[in-house]
């Protein structure tokens, strides 16, 4: 989980996308052995949006969006 304070939803999505791309660009190797290509799916939510007025509600919405991202093919950011 990453908590961005004082960040609008759009700016949070940009940050999430940069994080997703940064992780996807990394090579995971051990010696000469390429271990795996890593992708990241991210669900983004914002306090006060979509009923997110408690910590539990915000986490629940982000988790729901994470699973939507995975269902849609993984390796993406979902905010709505």
């Amino acid at each position: 989980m990453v908590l961005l304070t004082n960040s609008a939803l759009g700016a949070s999505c940009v940050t999430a996308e940069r994080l997703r791309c940064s992780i996807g660009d990394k090579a995971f190797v051990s010696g000469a052995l390429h271990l795996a290509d890593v992708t990241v799916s991210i669900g983004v939510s914002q306090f006060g949006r979509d009923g997110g007025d408690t910590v539990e509600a915000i986490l629940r919405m982000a988790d729901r969006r994470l699973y939507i991202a995975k269902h849609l093919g993984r390796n993406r950011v979902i905010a709505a």
Side-chain angles (χ1 to χ4, degrees), residues 3-80:
L3 178 64
L4 303 173
T5 59
N6 299 318
S7 180
L9 186 64
S12 296
C13 290
V14 168
T15 299
E17 184 64 23
R18 285 180 31 216
L19 177 63
R20 185 192 67 77
C21 290
S22 178
I23 291 169
D25 288 343
K26 301 289 183 216
F28 292 88
V29 296
S30 177
L33 180 63
H34 179 81
L35 298 177
D37 292 324
V38 176
T39 62
V40 178
S41 298
I42 301 173
V44 179
S45 62
Q46 181 182 24
F47 185 81
R49 268 180 82 100
D50 305 321
D53 56 357
T54 66
V55 172
E56 293 80 12
I58 295 166
L59 292 174
R60 196 169 29 255
M61 183 59 69
D63 189 55
R64 207 173 291 144
R65 290 175 177 166
L66 165 66
Y67 282 98
I68 291 169
K70 288 182 176 191
H71 176 75
L72 292 174
R74 302 180 181 219
N75 198 29
R76 64 191 69 225
V77 173
I78 298 290

